[in-house]
């Protein structure tokens, strides 16, 4: 069986956040195969854990994928400060006689953005609305490579390593089956230190905010990189509770058009046409989101990576351009409106070198210093008695169940698959047991 088929059968999707089905990425021939090991989201350590503890597996998988892609060059991009991780990788590269180069980067945000990784390692700029493949590159997250190693050995994607941190007793790295409840993960870390809490699913800059009531119905997906527990008085809790309508009104009354959001935008600094301050200005001059969709500079919201620099760092007024961009993107998609990218040569902004935001400044601005200083050295594995496995864990169409209520399943068995001709990925049972419920999730209990 070809490697790409093994990856498809294992149900592997990108672990860096987007969840793009990996077998689709591998159907290409490229010059560069780039490994994103930067883990630039503050407070997350799971990729680093993989590099320290699974370096051999990562390097073996890289070599196999390089061969599949016919890539001439492979580069692992990570931060220079990851000293022990670099040593682990170098040792594995040497032992496997692998043709892999390590590219050290400064600790800035968003160093792990896919397009930033491409530029920092190759000097090539991904075109507006494009993907790395447009410039001869395929980018994979380092944890994805660990799962590709498993696929080579016939093991499907059923477990996820993630960080549980923030306002918990014992911040830790956990290795849990897909479908494990967030509440159980938080309990593994000793539980929340406050009675009332909220959660960021992912990193503090780009992760999804969840109220405590939402946490009860949240379960680990293939793309879950972290669970950050927040107290009620944390800055991110307060900020995420602002309604979209309030954001619109604040944009109308408080935006001073300083354009810091555009000056610090990572996409803008690579020559892309997005300028968040112009979108804020259009919103200030109109009464609704729908009334501004026809403007070209508003359509440029489609270029937004939603990294959060504009609202979590750049804006001196505490406004939320990223969230507004996200709302605009959703409405543009619903109305079938596209951004007409120009075919032009993109150039790095001269000042980009001075506008790379140090990670520690991001942490301070977010009010997360008390969590950032917590050392996460402990790791643990956990097997729950019941899992609730989402059918949509990836970009594309939700997977379709191939089991029925009452069926007995074994760990690793296919329980859902993507429809032929549609973008998607297989889903496997992460524990052995009986299928109890099928909705947008498949519930299995022992």
């Amino acid at each position: 069986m070809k490697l790409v088929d093994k990856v498809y059968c294992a149900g592997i999707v990108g672990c860096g956040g987007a969840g793009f089905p990996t077998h689709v990425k591998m159907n290409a021939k490229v010059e560069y195969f780039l490994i994103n090991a930067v883990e630039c989201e503050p407070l997350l350590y799971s990729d680093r854990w993989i590099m320290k503890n699974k370096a051999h597996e990562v390097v073996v998988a890289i070599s196999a994928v390089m061969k599949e892609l016919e890539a001439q060059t492979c580069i692992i991009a990570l931060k220079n400060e990851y000293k022990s991780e670099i040593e682990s990788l170098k040792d594995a590269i040497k032992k496997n006689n692998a043709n892999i180069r390590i590219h050290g980067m400064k600790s800035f945000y968003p160093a792990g953005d896919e397009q930033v990784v491409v530029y920092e390692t190759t000097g090539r700029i991904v075109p507006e609305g494009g993907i790395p493949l447009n410039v001869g590159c395929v980018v994979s997250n380092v944890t994805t490579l660990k799962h590709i190693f498993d696929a080579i050995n016939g093991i499907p994607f059923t477990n996820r390593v993630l960080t549980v941190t923030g306002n918990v007793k014992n911040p830790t790295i956990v290795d849990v089956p897909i479908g494990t409840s967030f509440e159980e993960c938080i309990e593994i870390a000793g539980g929340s230190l406050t009675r009332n809490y909220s959660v960021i699913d992912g990193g503090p800059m780009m992760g999804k905010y969840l109220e405590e009531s939402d946490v009860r119905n949240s379960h680990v997906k293939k793309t879950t990189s972290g669970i950050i527990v927040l107290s009620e008085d944390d800055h991110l809790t307060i900020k995420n509770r602002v309604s979209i309508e309030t954001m619109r009104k604040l944009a109308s009354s408080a935006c001073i058009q300083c354009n810091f959001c555009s000056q610090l935008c990572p996409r803008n600094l690579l020559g892309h046409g997005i300028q968040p301050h112009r979108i804020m200005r259009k919103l200030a001059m109109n009464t609704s989101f729908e009334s501004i969709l026809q403007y070209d500079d508003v359509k440029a919201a489609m270029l937004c990576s939603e990294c959060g620099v504009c609202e979590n760092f750049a804006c001196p007024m505490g406004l939320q351009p990223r969230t507004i961009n996200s709302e605009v993107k959703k409405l543009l998609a619903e109305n079938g409106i596209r951004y007409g990218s120009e075919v032009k040569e993109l150039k790095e902004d001269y000042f980009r070198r001075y506008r790379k935001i140090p990670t520690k400044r991001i942490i301070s601005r977010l009010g997360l210093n008390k969590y950032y200083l917590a050392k996460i050295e402990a790791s643990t594995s956990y097997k729950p008695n019941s899992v609730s496995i989402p059918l949509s864990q990836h970009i594309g169409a939700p997977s379709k169940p191939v089991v029925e209520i009452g069926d007995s399943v074994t760990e690793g068995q296919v329980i859902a698959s993507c429809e032929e001709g549609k973008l998607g990925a297989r889903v496997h049972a992460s524990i052995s047991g009986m299928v109890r419920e099928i909705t947008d999730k498949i519930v299995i209990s022992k």
Side-chain angles (χ1 to χ4, degrees):
M1 186 184 292
K2 290 183 178 180
L3 178 59
V4 67
D5 296 323
K6 290 182 179 180
V7 168
Y8 167 76
C9 289
I12 298 174
V13 302
C15 296
F20 193 85
T22 303
H23 68 277
V24 178
K25 268 191 179 183
M26 290 175 60
N27 272 313
K29 305 301 176 189
V30 295
E31 183 179 350
Y32 287 97
F33 181 38
L34 307 176
I35 313 305
N36 188 346
V38 179
E39 196 162 42
C40 70
E41 273 277 18
L43 306 185
L44 301 187
Y45 297 89
S46 44
D47 283 352
R48 294 182 66 176
W49 187 91
I50 290 291
M51 286 186 278
K52 280 194 285 189
N53 296 280
K54 304 290 181 181
H56 167 74
E57 290 89 333
V58 168
V59 168
V60 169
I62 289 173
S63 297
V65 176
M66 275 189 74
K67 185 176 179 180
E68 186 81 14
L69 296 172
E70 297 180 9
Q72 300 169 29
T73 304
C74 176
I75 304 171
I76 301 176
L78 76 172
K79 295 180 182 178
N80 286 318
E81 65 185 39
Y82 295 170
K83 304 296 185 184
S84 57
E85 291 83 356
I86 290 172
E87 288 306 310
S88 294
L89 289 168
K90 283 183 175 179
D91 185 55
I93 290 169
K94 183 177 180 180
K95 286 181 178 178
N96 288 280
N97 194 29
N99 182 24
I100 301 169
R101 193 167 86 231
I102 292 177
H103 179 87
M105 299 168 67
K106 292 182 179 179
S107 184
F108 68 92
Y109 184 86
D113 175 274
E114 185 175 66
Q115 295 193 19
V116 172
V117 168
V118 170
Y119 183 71
E120 292 286 334
T121 55
T122 71
R124 299 177 180 182
I125 298 179
V126 177
E128 291 182 337
I131 58 175
L133 190 60
N134 297 137
V135 290
C137 303
V138 162
V139 183
S140 285
N141 171 268
V142 68
T143 297
T144 307
L145 269 299
K146 183 268 177 189
H147 290 289
I148 291 176
F149 175 86
D150 289 342
I152 292 170
N153 292 281
I155 302 170
F157 193 164
T158 59
N159 271 52
R160 175 71 210 220
V161 172
L162 62 136
T163 307
V164 184
T165 189
N167 194 46
V168 293
K169 186 176 181 180
N170 303 306
T172 189
I173 303 293
V174 299
D175 183 357
V176 296
I178 303 298
T180 302
S181 71
F182 275 23
E183 287 186 317
E184 286 176 285
C185 292
I186 293 168
E187 285 305 311
I188 294 169
S192 171
L193 294 176
T194 54
R195 184 173 180 179
N196 299 315
Y197 66 91
S198 56
V199 157
I200 299 289
D201 175 3
M205 292 293 283
M206 296 184 71
K208 181 181 179 182
Y209 177 78
L210 302 171
E211 291 287 359
E212 188 175 359
S213 56
D214 300 318
V215 175
R216 298 189 188 101
N217 298 312
S218 297
H219 300 81
V220 173
K221 297 181 179 181
K222 296 175 183 179
T223 54
T224 305
S225 55
I227 298 171
I228 301 173
V229 179
L230 303 172
S231 65
E232 286 204 305
D233 59 353
D234 276 323
H235 171 71
L236 282 176
T237 301
I238 296 167
K239 193 162 190 172
N240 277 289
R241 286 177 173 170
V242 177
S243 71
I244 192 71
E245 179 57 21
T246 300
M247 290 181 205
R248 186 192 66 78
K249 291 178 179 178
L250 286 171
S252 299
S253 62
C255 179
I256 59 175
Q257 285 294 292
C258 64
N259 90 357
F260 287 171
C261 54
S262 295
Q263 289 184 35
L264 290 173
C265 172
R267 288 285 191 271
N268 182 278
L269 289 169
L270 287 175
H272 288 202
I274 180 169
Q275 298 187 66
H277 78 283
R278 291 192 173 188
I279 298 172
M280 298 292 281
R281 181 165 63 201
K282 288 291 192 302
L283 198 57
M285 296 169 64
N286 291 271
T287 57
S288 69
F289 284 96
E290 288 77 9
S291 62
I292 65 172
L293 299 181
Q294 75 273 21
Y295 297 107
D296 287 341
D297 45 6
V298 174
K299 294 175 188 176
M302 297 300 288
L303 304 176
C304 176
S305 67
E306 300 186 35
C307 68
V309 164
C310 53
E311 72 180 34
N312 288 324
F313 186 84
C315 183
M317 304 303 291
L319 305 181
Q320 291 162 283
R322 186 271 302 267
T323 307
I324 286 171
N325 279 356
S326 180
E327 181 71 12
V328 169
K329 285 168 69 176
K330 183 178 74 173
L331 291 171
L332 288 169
E334 288 175 357
N335 287 275
I337 301 172
R338 294 179 175 272
Y339 172 69
S341 300
E342 295 181 26
V343 179
K344 58 183 179 181
E345 183 182 355
L346 300 179
K347 293 183 179 180
E348 176 196 31
D349 189 297
Y350 172 81
F351 291 102
R352 179 176 179 269
R353 70 195 75 177
Y354 307 113
R355 293 176 182 169
K356 295 178 179 179
I357 306 166
T359 302
K360 288 183 178 179
R361 289 193 66 190
I362 289 282
I363 287 290
S364 181
R365 189 66 62 88
L366 294 175
L368 296 175
N369 278 320
K370 58 185 175 182
Y371 304 139
Y372 184 65
L373 297 175
K375 286 188 176 181
I376 302 182
E377 297 176 349
S379 63
T380 186
S381 297
Y382 173 76
K383 282 279 188 183
N385 291 318
S386 177
V387 292
S388 187
I389 304 174
L391 292 171
S392 182
Q393 303 185 53
H394 49 264
I395 288 176
S399 301
K400 295 292 183 181
V402 295
V403 293
E404 296 179 351
I405 294 173
D407 285 354
S408 291
V409 295
T410 57
E411 182 179 334
Q413 179 181 330
V414 177
I415 57 173
S417 190
C418 55
E419 293 183 82
E420 189 173 348
K422 290 189 176 181
L423 183 66
R426 284 185 171 182
V427 177
H428 301 78
S430 56
I431 63 171
S432 298
M434 182 176 287
V435 177
R436 304 291 184 181
E437 182 182 335
I438 300 177
T439 53
D440 59 340
K441 300 175 181 178
I442 296 179
V443 178
I444 301 170
S445 60
K446 294 181 179 178

